[in-house]
Amino acid sequence: MSLVSGSGRLVLAATPLGDVRDASPRLAEALASADVVAAEDTRRLRSLAAALEVTPSGRVVSFYDQVETARLPGLLESLRGGATVLLVTDAGMPSVSDPGYRLVAACVAEDLPVTCLPGPSAVTTALAVSGLPSDRFCFEGFPPRKQGERQRWFAALRAEPRTCVFFESPHRLAATLADAAQVLGPDRRAAVCRELTKTYEEVRRGGLGELAQWAEEGVRGEITVVLAGAEPTGAPSMDVLVAEVKQRVADGERLKSAAAEVAEAAGVSKKALYDAAVSAS
C-alpha cells in the first residue's frame, strides 16, 4: 500500500512473444481502461490492441530506450495525480532487458504502487524447453558486442554452476557461440531457442561447438540461448584458498571479510579458512 495519498499505480504487463492468443484477459482489460499506456513501440501496441479487439481509452505514449529517462517526470506526475499507468514492451515482461527498470525504481523511491500482470517471458519459456536443469538459473541479458569483452564475459561464467539464460541477436549468434565454445569448451551443453511461440519456433540442443557450426549457416528471428552450468569440481586446496585470501588482504580487504567471501565461493568452512589464514600470516 502506498503512503502517497491519492496516488495512482504503475502496472507492468507481459505481452505475447508471438502468438496473440497468449495474451491474458487481464491484459485486454488493462489496455482498455488504463489512463496512460506507455509502450515501447506504439505501432505494435495498436496492432496488439486491435488483435485483442480493444481500444485504449487513455493516452498512449512511447517509452523506448532512447526516451525512457525523458519520459519519467511526466509519468511520475501522472502517477502522483492518481492515474493508472500501464507499461508494455514489444514482447515479454517489461524491465527484463526491456524498458521499465528506471520507472519501477523511481516509483519505489517515491513509494508509488507498482503491480504486475504476469504472462509470457522468453527467459522462462526457453528455460522450460531447453532440457537443461531449471532448479537454479541466472539471467545475463545480452553478451557484449565486441569479441574481447564477450570472451571475458564468458570467462566469468566458466565456473557458474547455475543454468544461464541470455539473449542474442541473430546476426551475432554464430560469433557468440564460437566464442562461448572457445572459452567454455565445445562440449558445454546449450540450447538455442528461436522464434518461441511463433510459427517457425525451433529449439536446437547440443554442445557449443556443434551449435556454433549450425549457426554459421545463418539464423533468423528472436534468439534466446540457455547455457548449462559448470560441472562440479573438487574444491581448491586450503593452501590455494589461503593464498587468495592473503592477496585480497594485501589489496586492502579485511582478513575476516576476505576469508568469508573466498570460503563461500569455494564451499568450505569460513572458520577453517580464517584460522588457516591467521596461522599462515
Side-chain angles (χ1 to χ4, degrees):
M1 179 67 67
S2 171
L3 301 179
V4 181
S5 177
S7 64
R9 63 173 182 161
L10 173 65
V11 182
L12 308 175
T15 54
L17 303 178
D19 193 326
V20 73
R21 293 172 298 178
D22 292 333
S24 71
R26 294 180 65 197
L27 173 60
E29 293 171 7
L31 286 171
S33 63
D35 300 301
V36 181
V37 180
E40 184 177 11
D41 185 324
T42 57
R43 292 168 299 180
R44 289 199 182 191
L45 180 278
R46 302 282 186 193
S47 296
L48 174 62
L52 297 177
E53 299 182 344
V54 298
T55 301
S57 59
R59 180 167 54 97
V60 176
V61 298
S62 59
F63 194 74
Y64 52 94
D65 287 334
Q66 288 75 14
V67 302
E68 185 174 1
T69 301
R71 288 278 190 268
L72 291 183
L75 293 175
L76 289 170
E77 183 179 355
S78 296
L79 287 161
R80 295 187 201 105
T84 294
V85 175
L86 179 69
L87 176 60
V88 295
T89 54
D90 290 349
M93 181 62 68
S95 80
V96 180
S97 279
D98 275 331
Y101 164 75
R102 293 181 180 86
L103 180 56
V104 172
C107 288
V108 171
E110 294 194 25
D111 201 23
L112 295 167
V114 179
T115 189
C116 180
L117 304 184
S121 167
V123 176
T124 52
T125 301
L127 181 68
V129 302
S130 69
L132 296 170
S134 58
D135 53 335
R136 298 180 66 216
F137 73 94
C138 59
F139 174 63
E140 294 290 333
F142 281 87
R145 296 188 178 194
K146 295 183 178 179
Q147 184 178 38
E149 294 177 5
R150 191 165 58 227
Q151 289 181 343
R152 288 190 290 274
W153 188 82
F154 280 120
L157 297 174
R158 187 180 286 121
E160 172 57 64
R162 296 170 296 179
T163 298
C164 173
V165 184
F166 62 88
F167 297 150
E168 187 53 290
S169 67
H171 67 274
R172 287 196 299 270
L173 180 63
T176 293
L177 291 175
D179 285 341
Q182 180 181 340
V183 174
L184 303 175
D187 296 328
R188 184 88 162 247
R189 304 292 295 174
V192 177
C193 305
R194 187 180 72 85
E195 295 289 86
L196 288 168
T197 79
K198 301 176 184 177
T199 302
Y200 298 105
E201 175 178 299
E202 180 181 19
V203 179
R204 297 291 296 239
R205 305 174 182 88
L208 285 170
E210 172 190 349
L211 292 172
Q213 289 183 346
W214 162 75
E216 286 179 357
E217 300 176 6
V219 179
R220 294 182 179 180
E222 300 289 331
I223 304 294
T224 305
V225 180
V226 186
L227 176 67
E231 293 291 334
T233 58
S237 69
M238 191 61 71
D239 289 343
V240 171
L241 297 178
V242 167
E244 183 177 349
V245 171
K246 292 175 69 175
Q247 181 59 56
R248 293 176 69 148
V249 171
D251 292 338
E253 284 192 53
R254 292 174 58 247
L255 174 60
K256 187 173 183 179
S257 61
E261 290 184 12
V262 172
E264 183 175 1
V268 301
S269 165
K270 296 178 183 180
K271 183 178 185 304
L273 181 56
Y274 176 79
D275 290 345
V278 170
S279 299
S281 57

